[in-house]
Amino acid sequence: MGGILFIGTGSAGERILSIAYATFKNLRSKENYFIAVNTSKKDHERVQSYFDERGIKDHSNFLFETIGEETLSGYGAGKDPKLGQSAYEADKEKLLKRLKSLHKKENFKIAIPLSSLGGGCGTMVVGELASDIRNEIGIRVIPICTIPFRREGDLLIGNALLGLRNLLDKGLNPLIFDNELMMRFSQTVGEGVDRANIIITSLISSLVDLVEYGGFSNPPIDIIDLTRLVIPQCGFFTVAYLDNLKDFKRKWKDLFEFNKSLVSQPITQTNCFIMFKARSFPHEVVEDGLSYLRVKYNAKEIIPTTIEDKSFAGYTIAAMIWGMSIEGIKPPLKTKRPLGEEIRKMLKI
Ligand SMILES: Nc1nc2c(ncn2[C@@H]2O[C@H](COP(=O)(O)OP(=O)(O)OP(=O)(O)O)[C@@H](O)[C@H]2O)c(=O)[nH]1
Ligand SMILES: [Mg+2]
């Protein structure tokens, strides 16, 4: 009783949840549920066979929901968010009824809708569903979304902006993972997607840890507490990890900055959650961490927590920071064209 309800929408949402589920055993604990809501039945079949290949026989808390089958025949929404939205409208009542009765049985602490913005299904469905879960089922929600690689073009980037607007209009301020930041290490979009998924699935695993270990942390933390930190417009997450304390003391700020899921500025002030995790975490670094958030991110409210256990290797600082600007996202959320093309466009040749 009292776990997390994860909802993946669209192909990316479904894929990321399935990878997290297969990779981290702690997620499979029966108090958490994973619902893949998708227009594409093929995606559901792919995940089924991915679980079979991985030898995951019992995945009874990973459920598949197809929406809009009557009009879309179980295919994707062809990168048209209007189709995704009408697919949701068509099956919304049935879906919410199922989620409501699941919640009655499981009493979830929090719901985490997860989606890529840019495609036909996830872009609008994530905001619609997140707001219905909050308003009609009464579960607090923290959405997590990715935004497209800038080379994916005007259609996907335009869709992503539409999806962001929909979330903001509904008072939902997502944690954003900017796929584009992965291009610093990747030659191809495919490689970038794989790297992105490793980071996002680790975040999912940490959130599950927080539910499990939060009561033993200092001060004790309930994942519900995070919801009071959520402020407009959006947030990001980051993690700094090293196994050696001497290096960690020197380098954690650089790692913290480099590993951010989004580059932007605070609109004015921010709200932050920061977790320090080690076998035994030095107090001076905790103090340093809090002061860094106050100075660099103009933090108004900070929820800090330290989790110590002899099973932990190395030193980790993980943070989630809300109050960041969408306009200030870097690189800007618009299509990146090769330089030659930009010049030709400017000179009209
Ligand atoms: N991080 C991450 N991004 C992904 C992944 N798969 C797709 N994307 C990004 O997601 C966007 C497209 O969203 P999808 O989830 O594929 O689209 P969809 O919601 O299924 O929409 P349709 O296929 O049109 O029905 C693009 O910006 C992709 O770069 C993934 O596994 N991980
Ligand atoms: Mg799809």
Side-chain angles (χ1 to χ4, degrees):
M1 289 274 275
I4 303 180
L5 172 65
F6 288 98
I7 314 258
T9 57
S11 303
E14 174 157 8
R15 176 164 342 118
I16 297 170
L17 281 194
S18 67
I19 298 172
Y21 192 84
T23 311
F24 297 101
K25 264 199 174 151
N26 63 334
L27 263 70
R28 291 183 224 157
S29 123
K30 290 288 183 282
E31 58 185 8
N32 305 309
Y33 266 78
F34 300 80
I35 323 281
V37 177
N38 207 333
T39 50
S40 161
K41 271 189 147 173
K42 198 106 218 126
D43 285 344
H44 295 332
E45 287 163 22
R46 251 184 236 125
V47 170
Q48 293 272 15
S49 40
Y50 172 68
F51 286 160
D52 291 347
E53 279 161 29
R54 293 287 200 113
I56 300 166
K57 289 196 188 76
D58 176 13
H59 43 82
S60 52
N61 54 341
F62 196 111
L63 311 177
F64 301 96
E65 293 285 347
T66 309
I67 52 169
E69 200 173 351
E70 209 156 287
T71 45
L72 298 175
S73 316
Y75 297 119
K79 304 290 175 263
D80 181 351
K82 280 203 205 85
L83 289 182
Q85 180 150 11
S86 45
Y88 177 68
E89 297 297 336
D91 288 318
K92 161 179 156 161
E93 219 167 289
K94 196 172 62 188
L95 180 60
L96 290 180
K97 205 168 152 203
R98 273 197 206 137
L99 293 178
K100 221 176 251 174
S101 75
L102 192 62
H103 179 50
K104 211 165 166 199
K105 205 165 90 216
E106 299 294 331
N107 193 19
F108 296 111
K109 276 203 155 130
I110 194 166
I112 305 207
L114 173 77
S115 185
S116 277
L117 301 179
C121 179
T123 293
M124 294 301 280
V125 175
V126 66
E128 298 300 315
L129 187 50
S131 111
D132 287 340
I133 289 174
R134 178 190 59 189
N135 301 342
E136 296 194 19
I137 310 185
I139 313 178
R140 283 176 251 208
V141 294
I142 297 187
I144 303 176
C145 299
T146 76
I147 53 175
F149 296 93
R150 305 302 187 267
R151 63 177 66 170
E152 286 186 288
D154 292 337
L155 175 67
L156 266 73
I157 291 178
N159 286 348
L161 287 168
L162 211 73
L164 276 174
R165 171 74 27 232
N166 188 44
L167 284 158
L168 297 190
D169 286 349
K170 292 180 157 49
L172 295 158
N173 304 290
L175 278 177
I176 296 183
F177 185 94
D178 188 351
N179 279 344
E180 177 67 16
L181 297 178
M182 295 298 102
M183 291 321 281
R184 291 174 301 185
F185 327 96
S186 319
Q187 297 299 323
T188 63
V189 164
E191 211 181 303
V193 161
D194 290 343
R195 283 182 190 270
N197 292 354
I198 292 172
I199 302 173
I200 303 169
T201 52
S202 327
L203 172 74
I204 293 174
S205 163
S206 307
L207 290 170
V208 170
D209 273 348
L210 200 61
V211 173
E212 205 163 303
Y213 290 99
F216 307 108
S217 65
N218 191 10
I221 157 115
D222 194 312
I223 194 162
I224 290 177
D225 300 348
L226 296 190
T227 55
R228 79 179 149 86
L229 297 177
V230 179
I231 50 171
Q233 291 170 320
C234 65
F236 69 89
F237 55 93
T238 184
V239 64
Y241 166 83
L242 276 179
D243 53 8
N244 162 312
L245 182 57
K246 200 163 148 235
D247 289 345
F248 187 76
K249 281 185 180 170
R250 245 179 341 110
K251 292 188 186 155
W252 77 262
K253 287 178 197 145
D254 292 340
L255 292 168
F256 185 99
E257 288 301 315
F258 189 76
N259 290 334
K260 288 193 304 197
S261 67
L262 179 80
V263 176
S264 182
Q265 311 107 31
I267 300 176
T268 51
Q269 291 184 300
T270 62
N271 284 347
C272 314
F273 167 72
I274 185 162
M275 179 169 80
F276 306 92
K277 188 175 159 190
R279 173 184 278 256
S280 143
F281 210 99
H283 197 64
E284 62 187 279
V285 186
V286 172
E287 287 304 324
D288 197 20
L290 299 181
S291 121
Y292 186 71
L293 293 178
R294 284 190 292 264
V295 175
K296 169 105 184 164
Y297 289 97
N298 203 12
K300 180 174 61 158
E301 193 175 342
I302 307 178
I303 298 183
T305 196
T306 307
I307 304 186
E308 295 176 319
D309 189 283
K310 56 182 181 313
S311 67
F312 296 150
Y315 298 82
T316 307
I317 292 181
M320 292 177 220
I321 300 181
W322 282 272
M324 306 301 286
S325 147
I326 300 256
E327 289 238 312
I329 292 177
K330 280 196 189 126
L333 196 46
K334 55 182 190 205
T335 308
K336 186 169 157 190
R337 297 193 171 82
L339 196 58
E341 199 178 306
E342 287 294 334
I343 294 170
R344 283 205 308 277
K345 202 173 155 200
M346 227 167 62
L347 300 176
K348 299 199 172 64
I349 50 172

